[in-house]
Amino acid sequence: MGKIIAIANQKGGVGKTTTATNLAAGLGLENKKVLLVDLDAQGSATISMGFSFNSIKKDIYDVIVADTTIEEVTKANVCKGVDLVPASISLVGAELFLLEHSKTKKNVLLEKLASVKDSYDYIIIDCPPSLGLLNRNALAASDSVIIPLQAEFYALGGLVQLLATIRLVQQLFNPSLEIEGILLTMVNIHTNSSVEVIKEIKKNFKEKVYKNYIPRNITLSEAPSHGKSIFNYRPNCRGAIAYRNLVSEVLNNG
Ligand SMILES: Nc1ncnc2c1ncn2[C@@H]1O[C@H](COP(=O)(O)OP(=O)(O)OP(=O)(O)O)[C@@H](O)[C@H]1O
Ligand SMILES: [Mg+2]
């Protein structure tokens, strides 16, 4: 039975997609079978894996609003061991659809993902930067959540809001949802503010914070424009080493 992990933080640009794509690719290289689900209308994970929007006929939007199955939209073997469920701008319309369905308490995403859960070791969901219904549905369908957090002063305020949403989802829909880990991203250990924020987060969340952090590394931001994971683009750069360490920590968590 596969483990479903949502990569979530309502704050934009904190490294969700970079983490989702590289974690998926890294797990694939460790011989795991992985499904990467793009749940963001920006389609960043889809583009990062080398697809253009006009090459995609159906995507996660069709899965959510219609009878389309996950299998029908899945792009197989986008990199070793990894299949992709793409997303595009049409996904913005899904919020309205989910609003109607929320009255009947039916979680479409949960139902659709359940049907492919046995085919994968890990299902990684790249969530959008909001606390809307797409995000809630993702959390309700997941076993755990990884929270990428940029080591800066404002990070903590946003984290409180996200934790409140996670608690709400636990109470209403998914009592077994766990926090897989908090991942510090874009860390520059040469700035005092980064070091202070890291100390504060570790003091508050202790062993929930991954030992390994992701450094600010320009190569990580270049890889998507080549349609490659960091492991296929520059496997020996600092960013690749950091994401390899994250993969080890996630595997050790089970
Ligand atoms: N460790 C890093 N070092 C340098 N640049 C990074 C790093 N992680 C991510 N980036 C870059 O920062 C930008 C935002 O990252 P990313 O797209 O992963 O964030 P996101 O949380 O998914 O954003 P959004 O909320 O818009 O979906 C991207 O241009 C990405 O390439
Ligand atoms: Mg993103």
Side-chain angles (χ1 to χ4, degrees):
M1 181 81 108
K3 184 173 190 177
I4 305 184
I5 305 178
I7 314 295
N9 187 333
Q10 77 277 12
K11 190 161 190 298
V14 295
K16 291 181 289 296
T17 302
T18 307
T19 299
T21 52
N22 290 309
L23 175 61
L27 287 167
L29 287 171
E30 293 296 324
N31 297 318
K32 299 296 176 190
K33 190 84 189 104
V34 185
L35 182 67
L36 173 63
V37 179
D38 191 346
L39 198 63
D40 186 358
Q42 296 175 96
S44 313
T46 302
I47 299 293
S48 296
M49 297 320 266
F51 290 89
S52 64
F53 290 131
N54 49 21
S55 70
I56 289 160
K57 302 271 177 298
K58 282 187 173 184
D59 61 41
I60 187 73
Y61 171 77
D62 302 276
V63 173
I64 291 172
V65 307
D67 286 338
T68 311
T69 63
I70 295 263
E71 285 98 331
E72 278 175 73
V73 302
T74 297
K75 303 282 182 190
N77 281 316
V78 295
C79 58
K80 184 179 175 286
V82 182
D83 294 348
L84 169 76
V85 173
S88 69
I89 188 71
S90 57
L91 193 55
V92 284
E95 286 277 342
L96 205 60
F97 177 87
L98 289 172
L99 187 66
E100 282 163 17
H101 269 261
S102 68
K103 289 171 197 142
T104 60
K105 281 201 165 183
K106 198 169 138 201
N107 184 342
V108 193
L109 197 60
L110 175 73
E111 282 177 10
K112 297 275 176 124
L113 286 177
S115 68
V116 294
K117 210 177 172 189
D118 285 343
S119 310
Y120 294 96
D121 297 307
Y122 289 93
I123 297 178
I124 308 289
I125 308 177
D126 184 25
C127 291
S130 79
L131 285 177
L133 281 171
L134 272 175
N135 223 311
R136 273 192 207 185
N137 271 253
L139 291 174
S142 295
D143 295 300
S144 64
V145 52
I146 291 179
I147 305 171
L149 203 65
Q150 213 178 328
E152 58 176 28
F153 178 67
Y154 296 106
L156 282 166
L159 184 58
V160 170
Q161 262 179 303
L162 178 58
L163 292 174
T165 301
I166 290 171
R167 230 168 283 127
L168 190 71
V169 169
Q170 285 167 330
Q171 283 163 9
L172 293 178
F173 316 106
N174 184 3
S176 57
L177 176 67
E178 287 181 11
I179 295 181
E180 183 79 28
I182 296 173
L183 177 68
L184 294 159
T185 60
M186 301 184 216
V187 172
N188 180 355
I189 49 159
H190 302 299
T191 65
N192 284 338
S193 62
S194 255
V195 173
E196 285 307 311
V197 172
I198 291 170
K199 262 196 216 156
E200 191 64 24
I201 290 165
K202 287 197 168 167
K203 196 173 91 190
N204 283 290
F205 298 97
K206 302 188 174 69
E207 74 285 356
K208 278 292 169 204
V209 185
Y210 287 112
K211 288 185 193 71
N212 161 72
Y213 64 80
I214 310 298
R216 187 168 281 285
N217 176 238
I218 194 82
T219 319
L220 280 171
S221 62
E222 290 167 1
S225 60
H226 297 267
K228 288 180 175 177
S229 80
I230 198 63
F231 307 111
N232 286 340
Y233 181 60
R234 294 277 188 278
N236 299 318
C237 74
R238 284 167 65 228
I241 293 165
Y243 273 109
R244 213 173 279 124
N245 289 337
L246 173 69
V247 169
S248 301
E249 285 198 69
V250 169
L251 287 172
N252 286 339
N253 272 358

